Short mmCIF file of all heavy atoms in Angstrom, two decimals:
data_model
loop_
_atom_site.label_atom_id
_atom_site.label_comp_id
_atom_site.label_asym_id
_atom_site.label_seq_id
_atom_site.Cartn_x
_atom_site.Cartn_y
_atom_site.Cartn_z
N LEU A 1 99.08 95.64 109.70
CA LEU A 1 98.43 95.85 108.44
C LEU A 1 99.31 95.62 107.23
O LEU A 1 98.82 95.59 106.09
CB LEU A 1 97.88 97.29 108.41
CG LEU A 1 96.74 97.62 109.36
CD1 LEU A 1 96.41 99.11 109.34
CD2 LEU A 1 95.50 96.80 109.07
N LEU A 2 100.59 95.40 107.46
CA LEU A 2 101.49 95.18 106.32
C LEU A 2 101.39 93.74 105.82
O LEU A 2 101.17 92.81 106.57
CB LEU A 2 102.94 95.45 106.74
CG LEU A 2 103.29 96.85 107.19
CD1 LEU A 2 104.80 96.96 107.50
CD2 LEU A 2 102.90 97.90 106.14
N SER A 3 101.58 93.57 104.49
CA SER A 3 101.59 92.21 103.95
C SER A 3 102.92 91.57 104.32
O SER A 3 103.89 92.25 104.70
CB SER A 3 101.47 92.31 102.41
OG SER A 3 102.68 92.88 101.86
N PRO A 4 103.01 90.25 104.21
CA PRO A 4 104.32 89.59 104.49
C PRO A 4 105.46 90.15 103.67
O PRO A 4 106.58 90.32 104.17
CB PRO A 4 104.05 88.11 104.15
CG PRO A 4 102.57 87.97 104.36
CD PRO A 4 101.98 89.29 103.92
N GLU A 5 105.20 90.47 102.39
CA GLU A 5 106.27 91.02 101.52
C GLU A 5 106.66 92.40 102.00
O GLU A 5 107.85 92.77 102.03
CB GLU A 5 105.73 91.08 100.06
CG GLU A 5 106.81 91.50 99.06
CD GLU A 5 106.94 92.97 98.92
OE1 GLU A 5 105.91 93.69 99.16
OE2 GLU A 5 108.02 93.46 98.58
N GLN A 6 105.71 93.25 102.41
CA GLN A 6 106.02 94.56 102.94
C GLN A 6 106.82 94.47 104.25
O GLN A 6 107.76 95.23 104.44
CB GLN A 6 104.71 95.36 103.15
CG GLN A 6 104.07 95.82 101.87
CD GLN A 6 102.72 96.48 102.12
OE1 GLN A 6 101.94 96.03 103.00
NE2 GLN A 6 102.43 97.53 101.37
N ARG A 7 106.41 93.55 105.10
CA ARG A 7 107.13 93.39 106.35
C ARG A 7 108.61 92.98 106.11
O ARG A 7 109.52 93.42 106.81
CB ARG A 7 106.44 92.36 107.27
CG ARG A 7 105.16 92.83 107.91
CD ARG A 7 104.61 91.72 108.82
NE ARG A 7 105.53 91.45 109.94
CZ ARG A 7 105.42 92.01 111.13
NH1 ARG A 7 104.44 92.90 111.37
NH2 ARG A 7 106.24 91.71 112.10
N GLU A 8 108.77 92.14 105.12
CA GLU A 8 110.11 91.63 104.82
C GLU A 8 111.07 92.75 104.53
O GLU A 8 112.26 92.73 104.92
CB GLU A 8 110.05 90.68 103.61
CG GLU A 8 111.39 90.09 103.21
CD GLU A 8 111.98 89.15 104.20
OE1 GLU A 8 111.23 88.58 105.05
OE2 GLU A 8 113.21 88.96 104.16
N ARG A 9 110.61 93.82 103.85
CA ARG A 9 111.52 94.93 103.52
C ARG A 9 111.35 96.15 104.39
O ARG A 9 111.96 97.20 104.15
CB ARG A 9 111.35 95.33 102.03
CG ARG A 9 109.91 95.66 101.63
CD ARG A 9 109.85 95.85 100.13
NE ARG A 9 108.47 95.82 99.63
CZ ARG A 9 107.66 96.86 99.54
NH1 ARG A 9 108.14 98.06 99.91
NH2 ARG A 9 106.46 96.76 99.07
N THR A 10 110.54 96.00 105.40
CA THR A 10 110.29 97.14 106.30
C THR A 10 110.85 96.92 107.71
O THR A 10 111.26 97.90 108.36
CB THR A 10 108.75 97.41 106.41
OG1 THR A 10 108.26 97.72 105.13
CG2 THR A 10 108.43 98.53 107.39
N VAL A 11 110.91 95.71 108.19
CA VAL A 11 111.33 95.42 109.57
C VAL A 11 112.78 94.91 109.58
O VAL A 11 113.11 93.96 108.88
CB VAL A 11 110.39 94.42 110.24
CG1 VAL A 11 110.87 94.12 111.66
CG2 VAL A 11 108.96 94.87 110.22
N PHE A 12 113.61 95.56 110.39
CA PHE A 12 115.03 95.21 110.50
C PHE A 12 115.34 94.96 111.96
O PHE A 12 114.59 95.30 112.86
CB PHE A 12 115.91 96.37 109.98
CG PHE A 12 115.73 96.69 108.50
CD1 PHE A 12 114.66 97.44 108.07
CD2 PHE A 12 116.64 96.19 107.57
CE1 PHE A 12 114.49 97.70 106.72
CE2 PHE A 12 116.49 96.47 106.23
CZ PHE A 12 115.41 97.22 105.79
N ALA A 13 116.51 94.38 112.21
CA ALA A 13 116.97 94.20 113.57
C ALA A 13 117.26 95.55 114.22
O ALA A 13 117.55 96.50 113.51
CB ALA A 13 118.25 93.32 113.58
N VAL A 14 117.15 95.59 115.52
CA VAL A 14 117.31 96.86 116.21
C VAL A 14 118.68 97.45 116.08
O VAL A 14 118.86 98.68 116.17
CB VAL A 14 116.93 96.71 117.73
CG1 VAL A 14 117.99 95.89 118.48
CG2 VAL A 14 116.70 98.07 118.36
N ASP A 15 119.66 96.62 115.82
CA ASP A 15 121.08 97.11 115.66
C ASP A 15 121.52 97.09 114.17
O ASP A 15 122.69 97.14 113.89
CB ASP A 15 122.04 96.31 116.49
CG ASP A 15 122.00 94.82 116.18
OD1 ASP A 15 121.13 94.40 115.39
OD2 ASP A 15 122.88 94.08 116.70
N ASP A 16 120.56 97.07 113.24
CA ASP A 16 120.89 96.98 111.82
C ASP A 16 121.44 98.33 111.34
O ASP A 16 121.10 99.40 111.82
CB ASP A 16 119.62 96.63 111.03
CG ASP A 16 119.95 96.11 109.63
OD1 ASP A 16 120.12 96.96 108.74
OD2 ASP A 16 120.04 94.89 109.44
N SER A 17 122.30 98.23 110.32
CA SER A 17 122.89 99.45 109.74
C SER A 17 121.85 100.28 108.99
O SER A 17 122.15 101.37 108.54
CB SER A 17 124.04 99.07 108.80
OG SER A 17 123.57 98.25 107.72
N GLU A 18 120.63 99.73 108.81
CA GLU A 18 119.58 100.49 108.18
C GLU A 18 119.35 101.83 108.88
O GLU A 18 118.95 102.83 108.22
CB GLU A 18 118.27 99.67 108.17
CG GLU A 18 117.04 100.42 107.66
CD GLU A 18 117.17 100.92 106.24
OE1 GLU A 18 117.97 100.37 105.46
OE2 GLU A 18 116.44 101.89 105.89
N TRP A 19 119.60 101.92 110.14
CA TRP A 19 119.49 103.19 110.88
C TRP A 19 120.27 104.28 110.12
O TRP A 19 119.81 105.40 110.03
CB TRP A 19 120.09 103.04 112.27
CG TRP A 19 119.24 102.49 113.36
CD1 TRP A 19 119.42 101.30 114.06
CD2 TRP A 19 118.04 103.04 113.94
NE1 TRP A 19 118.47 101.10 114.98
CE2 TRP A 19 117.59 102.15 114.94
CE3 TRP A 19 117.29 104.17 113.69
CZ2 TRP A 19 116.45 102.41 115.72
CZ3 TRP A 19 116.18 104.45 114.47
CH2 TRP A 19 115.74 103.57 115.43
N ARG A 20 121.47 103.91 109.66
CA ARG A 20 122.38 104.88 109.11
C ARG A 20 122.21 105.10 107.58
O ARG A 20 122.95 105.83 106.98
CB ARG A 20 123.84 104.47 109.43
CG ARG A 20 124.07 104.36 110.94
CD ARG A 20 125.42 103.73 111.26
NE ARG A 20 126.51 104.56 110.83
CZ ARG A 20 127.77 104.19 110.78
NH1 ARG A 20 128.12 102.96 111.14
NH2 ARG A 20 128.74 105.02 110.37
N ARG A 21 121.26 104.43 107.02
CA ARG A 21 120.99 104.53 105.60
C ARG A 21 119.84 105.51 105.35
O ARG A 21 118.68 105.17 105.33
CB ARG A 21 120.60 103.16 104.98
CG ARG A 21 121.68 102.14 105.04
CD ARG A 21 121.23 100.78 104.47
NE ARG A 21 122.21 99.76 104.63
CZ ARG A 21 123.16 99.48 103.80
NH1 ARG A 21 123.25 100.19 102.67
NH2 ARG A 21 124.02 98.51 104.00
N TRP A 22 120.19 106.78 105.19
CA TRP A 22 119.19 107.80 104.92
C TRP A 22 119.85 108.98 104.20
O TRP A 22 121.07 109.13 104.23
CB TRP A 22 118.55 108.31 106.25
CG TRP A 22 119.50 108.88 107.24
CD1 TRP A 22 120.11 108.23 108.26
CD2 TRP A 22 119.95 110.24 107.36
NE1 TRP A 22 120.93 109.05 109.02
CE2 TRP A 22 120.87 110.31 108.46
CE3 TRP A 22 119.68 111.39 106.62
CZ2 TRP A 22 121.46 111.49 108.84
CZ3 TRP A 22 120.32 112.61 106.99
CH2 TRP A 22 121.19 112.65 108.07
N SER A 23 119.03 109.75 103.53
CA SER A 23 119.52 110.92 102.81
C SER A 23 118.40 111.90 102.63
O SER A 23 117.22 111.53 102.51
CB SER A 23 120.12 110.49 101.46
OG SER A 23 120.54 111.62 100.72
N ASN A 24 118.76 113.16 102.55
CA ASN A 24 117.75 114.22 102.34
C ASN A 24 117.46 114.47 100.86
O ASN A 24 116.61 115.31 100.53
CB ASN A 24 118.17 115.53 102.99
CG ASN A 24 119.50 116.06 102.43
OD1 ASN A 24 120.55 115.51 102.78
ND2 ASN A 24 119.46 117.04 101.52
N VAL A 25 118.15 113.75 99.94
CA VAL A 25 117.93 114.01 98.53
C VAL A 25 116.68 113.33 98.03
O VAL A 25 116.08 112.49 98.70
CB VAL A 25 119.14 113.54 97.69
CG1 VAL A 25 120.39 114.32 98.08
CG2 VAL A 25 119.35 112.05 97.81
N ASP A 26 116.24 113.68 96.82
CA ASP A 26 114.94 113.21 96.33
C ASP A 26 114.99 111.76 95.92
O ASP A 26 116.05 111.17 95.74
CB ASP A 26 114.46 114.12 95.17
CG ASP A 26 115.34 114.01 93.93
OD1 ASP A 26 115.29 112.97 93.27
OD2 ASP A 26 116.05 114.97 93.64
N VAL A 27 113.82 111.20 95.76
CA VAL A 27 113.69 109.74 95.46
C VAL A 27 114.20 109.36 94.10
O VAL A 27 114.54 108.21 93.87
CB VAL A 27 112.20 109.31 95.65
CG1 VAL A 27 111.36 109.83 94.47
CG2 VAL A 27 112.05 107.81 95.79
N GLY A 28 114.36 110.32 93.22
CA GLY A 28 114.90 110.02 91.90
C GLY A 28 116.39 109.78 91.93
O GLY A 28 116.96 109.23 91.00
N ILE A 29 117.07 110.15 93.03
CA ILE A 29 118.50 110.04 93.17
C ILE A 29 118.90 108.91 94.10
O ILE A 29 119.92 108.27 93.90
CB ILE A 29 119.12 111.35 93.64
CG1 ILE A 29 118.79 112.49 92.65
CG2 ILE A 29 120.61 111.23 93.85
CD1 ILE A 29 119.27 113.84 93.09
N TYR A 30 118.14 108.70 95.13
CA TYR A 30 118.53 107.82 96.25
C TYR A 30 117.47 106.77 96.49
O TYR A 30 116.28 107.11 96.69
CB TYR A 30 118.79 108.64 97.52
CG TYR A 30 119.21 107.83 98.72
CD1 TYR A 30 120.53 107.35 98.82
CD2 TYR A 30 118.36 107.58 99.75
CE1 TYR A 30 120.93 106.63 99.92
CE2 TYR A 30 118.71 106.83 100.89
CZ TYR A 30 120.05 106.36 100.93
OH TYR A 30 120.43 105.66 102.04
N GLN A 31 117.87 105.49 96.50
CA GLN A 31 116.91 104.39 96.70
C GLN A 31 116.76 104.09 98.18
O GLN A 31 117.77 103.89 98.88
CB GLN A 31 117.39 103.12 95.97
CG GLN A 31 116.41 101.97 96.07
CD GLN A 31 116.86 100.78 95.23
OE1 GLN A 31 117.82 100.86 94.49
NE2 GLN A 31 116.11 99.70 95.32
N ARG A 32 115.54 103.99 98.65
CA ARG A 32 115.26 103.77 100.06
C ARG A 32 114.63 102.41 100.30
O ARG A 32 114.06 101.82 99.43
CB ARG A 32 114.35 104.91 100.59
CG ARG A 32 115.05 106.29 100.56
CD ARG A 32 114.08 107.41 100.82
NE ARG A 32 114.82 108.67 101.12
CZ ARG A 32 115.18 109.53 100.18
NH1 ARG A 32 114.92 109.29 98.89
NH2 ARG A 32 115.86 110.63 100.52
N GLN A 33 114.70 102.02 101.59
CA GLN A 33 114.07 100.78 102.04
C GLN A 33 112.71 101.09 102.68
O GLN A 33 112.38 102.23 102.94
CB GLN A 33 115.00 100.06 103.00
CG GLN A 33 116.41 99.82 102.52
CD GLN A 33 116.46 98.99 101.29
OE1 GLN A 33 115.79 98.01 101.17
NE2 GLN A 33 117.25 99.42 100.31
N GLY A 34 112.00 100.00 102.96
CA GLY A 34 110.74 100.15 103.69
C GLY A 34 109.53 100.30 102.79
O GLY A 34 109.59 99.99 101.61
N VAL A 35 108.43 100.76 103.39
CA VAL A 35 107.16 100.91 102.67
C VAL A 35 106.90 102.40 102.56
O VAL A 35 106.97 103.11 103.55
CB VAL A 35 106.03 100.13 103.38
CG1 VAL A 35 105.85 100.61 104.81
CG2 VAL A 35 104.72 100.28 102.60
N SER A 36 106.54 102.85 101.39
CA SER A 36 106.28 104.27 101.15
C SER A 36 104.79 104.57 101.22
O SER A 36 103.94 103.69 100.98
CB SER A 36 106.84 104.73 99.83
OG SER A 36 106.03 104.25 98.74
N PHE A 37 104.48 105.84 101.46
CA PHE A 37 103.08 106.25 101.43
C PHE A 37 102.48 106.05 100.02
O PHE A 37 101.24 105.91 99.92
CB PHE A 37 102.96 107.70 101.88
CG PHE A 37 103.09 107.90 103.35
CD1 PHE A 37 104.32 108.06 103.93
CD2 PHE A 37 101.95 107.92 104.14
CE1 PHE A 37 104.42 108.21 105.34
CE2 PHE A 37 102.03 108.09 105.53
CZ PHE A 37 103.30 108.22 106.13
N ARG A 38 103.29 106.08 99.01
CA ARG A 38 102.84 105.85 97.64
C ARG A 38 102.09 104.55 97.48
O ARG A 38 101.10 104.43 96.79
CB ARG A 38 104.04 105.85 96.66
CG ARG A 38 104.45 107.18 96.09
CD ARG A 38 105.68 106.96 95.19
NE ARG A 38 106.04 108.17 94.49
CZ ARG A 38 107.11 108.25 93.69
NH1 ARG A 38 107.87 107.20 93.48
NH2 ARG A 38 107.40 109.38 93.06
N GLU A 39 102.64 103.50 98.13
CA GLU A 39 102.11 102.14 97.91
C GLU A 39 101.12 101.69 98.99
O GLU A 39 100.55 100.62 98.92
CB GLU A 39 103.26 101.16 97.83
CG GLU A 39 104.02 101.02 99.14
CD GLU A 39 105.07 99.89 99.06
OE1 GLU A 39 104.69 98.71 99.08
OE2 GLU A 39 106.26 100.25 98.96
N MET A 40 100.99 102.47 100.04
CA MET A 40 100.11 102.08 101.18
C MET A 40 98.66 102.06 100.74
O MET A 40 98.21 102.93 100.01
CB MET A 40 100.30 102.99 102.36
CG MET A 40 101.64 102.88 103.06
SD MET A 40 101.68 104.01 104.53
CE MET A 40 103.44 103.97 104.91
N SER A 41 97.93 101.13 101.33
CA SER A 41 96.47 101.12 101.16
C SER A 41 95.90 102.23 102.06
O SER A 41 96.58 102.78 102.91
CB SER A 41 95.92 99.77 101.63
OG SER A 41 96.06 99.63 103.02
#
C-alpha cells in the first residue's frame, strides 16, 4: 500500500544500521526514518 516514495524511505537492507537508529525522545528532538502514522492514508 506504500507509494514508491514511501517505500524508498521505509525499506532497508536486513543488515542496515537503521536497526540501531532509534530513540525514546520526542519527535521534536530526534528525526526518524520510515513512514509515520501521521502521513498514512
Side-chain angles (χ1 to χ4, degrees):
L1 293 173
L2 298 183
S3 69
E5 186 274 333
Q6 287 174 321
R7 286 183 65 94
E8 178 69 22
R9 55 188 164 89
T10 299
V11 180
F12 296 80
V14 71
D15 58 352
D16 197 275
S17 62
E18 173 60 22
W19 278 116
R20 301 171 65 190
R21 297 177 185 272
W22 58 269
S23 178
N24 59 284
V25 298
D26 65 73
V27 73
I29 300 175
Y30 180 76
Q31 183 175 355
R32 294 169 166 90
Q33 306 301 315
V35 58
S36 74
F37 283 86
R38 271 179 174 176
E39 66 175 286
M40 290 182 194
S41 68

